Amino acid sequence: MALLSWLEQTALAQYVQENPVGYPLVLTAHAVGMAVLAGIVLMINFRILGFARNAPLHYFRSLLKLALLGFILNVVSGAMLFIADASTHATNVAFLIKIGLLIVGGVLLIPISQRMALAAASGDAALESDNTRQIAAASVLVWIGVIVAGRLIAYVG
Amino acid sequence: MQTFLTWLGQSWLAALVNDSSWMFPTLEALHFLGLILLMGSLIVVDLRLLGVGAEAPMDAVARFIPWSMLGFVINLVTGALFFASDPDAYYFNTAFRLKMLAIALAGLNLIWFKLSVHPLIAAGSGARIELPPSAAVIGGASLLLWISVIVFGRLIPYLP
């Protein structure tokens, strides 16, 4: 596709491809962002699923803001990794699965953060519902999938 | 040491990793899952030690520590298998050595936590605990050290 090869020739893509420091630097930022984002999301879901019930949800809401920072870091670093090799990534099965799961994981965070806000206003018990727990369980599985698929991009065609 | 590295590189453990095409990627995926368990729970505990969410009971937050332990054990096992698959490449690698150094320092930091802050948490279960100033130092050092573990680990293929 013309767009993909154009992306590969932008100055930013050339930097990531050719600068010996560029690629490892962006990859490292992506790993740190992943740890912050997926790590926090996982722990919030564990809390919603009933782990450490006496830890107030208010605390986890402040952590969710930090997770958002990890997400922004990874959108930026991920976009840089993508454009460095856009045409290969665009047809890579693991990459496509990762992006699909990422969208699902992001969408699932909307009700999670809404319900946490509700719980902050009306008490932690507001989060005690089967439906919320199902969303949290789905979120855990989806984010595990994002990471596994992401790790496999380098190995599948 | 070289005798050990050569022996390890020819052992059944090395063969276990090297003789299949799916073993290495599977271990890598597990290593990343261990990493998010470890880092996620550390963020929960260490930010609280640093003073974020001071109204959250410390003993409840400290219940996340076992997830760090689980993540660490997963990564110790998968990491040992990476090492066995190509001992020379890891042992002489600068990034790998810096990573091991950072893990050792994080271990010492954990011992400091266990001796100074942990007894207060255990004793004051349920009650509001006044954290000593050292708690913030321990929490900050833990985050910095573990982030540097990720950074050095990610750089192993790129540094000599």
Side-chain angles (χ1 to χ4, degrees):
Chain A
M1 257 165 63
L3 175 69
L4 296 173
S5 40
W6 173 80
L7 273 175
E8 286 169 3
Q9 273 142 35
T10 55
L12 190 64
Q14 304 275 332
Y15 167 78
V16 181
Q17 291 157 12
E18 285 161 21
N19 187 302
V21 182
Y23 191 78
L25 199 74
V26 179
L27 211 54
T28 301
H30 205 65
V32 173
M34 173 199 81
V36 173
L37 169 63
I40 291 174
V41 168
L42 208 60
M43 294 306 136
I44 287 174
N45 286 325
F46 288 173
R47 169 62 187 78
I48 293 173
L49 286 166
F51 183 78
R53 264 209 178 84
N54 48 345
L57 282 162
H58 182 78
Y59 180 49
F60 292 90
R61 279 191 78 206
S62 38
L63 296 180
L64 197 58
K65 288 175 196 146
L66 183 63
L68 187 66
L69 214 67
F71 179 74
I72 293 167
L73 175 64
N74 275 19
V75 168
V76 173
S77 56
M80 287 174 77
L81 294 170
F82 176 81
I83 62 169
D85 203 358
S87 43
T88 309
H89 277 118
T91 55
N92 184 294
V93 177
F95 175 79
L96 297 173
I97 291 173
K98 173 179 176 170
I99 297 301
L101 289 172
L102 195 61
I103 293 167
V104 177
V107 169
L108 287 175
L109 278 176
I110 297 169
I112 288 174
S113 77
Q114 278 174 345
R115 285 166 202 210
M116 283 174 80
L118 191 72
S122 61
D124 285 6
L127 225 68
E128 300 279 337
S129 81
D130 285 344
N131 182 255
T132 308
R133 277 190 283 269
Q134 283 157 3
I135 293 172
S139 172
V140 169
L141 294 177
V142 167
W143 283 99
I144 288 174
V146 170
I147 287 166
V148 171
R151 187 57 274 195
L152 296 181
I153 292 173
Y155 294 95
V156 301
Chain B
M1 192 65 201
Q2 190 56 58
T3 320
F4 169 72
L5 295 176
T6 309
W7 169 80
L8 184 63
Q10 287 160 1
S11 68
W12 64 272
L13 216 54
L16 182 75
V17 182
N18 294 328
D19 290 357
S20 83
S21 55
W22 53 267
M23 193 67 174
F24 204 84
T26 304
L27 292 173
E28 277 192 326
L30 282 171
H31 206 67
F32 272 45
L33 292 177
L35 180 161
I36 61 159
L37 276 178
L38 176 63
M39 277 307 294
S41 49
L42 279 176
I43 290 170
V44 172
V45 178
D46 289 342
L47 286 181
R48 177 63 187 81
L49 292 176
L50 276 166
V52 178
E55 80 295 338
M58 192 60 224
D59 61 319
V61 173
R63 288 197 56 204
F64 281 86
I65 295 173
W67 291 114
S68 307
M69 299 300 165
L70 177 65
F72 183 75
V73 169
I74 292 171
N75 281 15
L76 190 66
V77 172
T78 51
L81 288 167
F82 293 143
F83 187 87
S85 76
D86 196 354
D88 281 10
Y90 287 97
Y91 184 74
F92 296 105
N93 182 282
T94 312
F96 176 77
R97 288 181 170 200
L98 288 170
K99 176 175 177 171
M100 292 305 117
L101 176 67
I103 292 174
L105 292 174
L108 291 176
N109 193 51
L110 176 66
I111 293 172
W112 186 19
F113 171 79
K114 281 279 178 199
L115 294 177
S116 65
V117 182
H118 198 254
L120 299 174
I121 299 170
S125 180
R128 196 159 289 281
I129 304 155
E130 201 66 50
L131 289 174
S134 64
V137 181
I138 290 170
S142 167
L143 284 179
L144 286 177
L145 285 168
W146 285 107
I147 288 171
S148 64
V149 169
I150 298 177
V151 170
F152 292 134
R154 191 61 273 204
L155 292 178
I156 290 172
Y158 301 97
L159 284 183

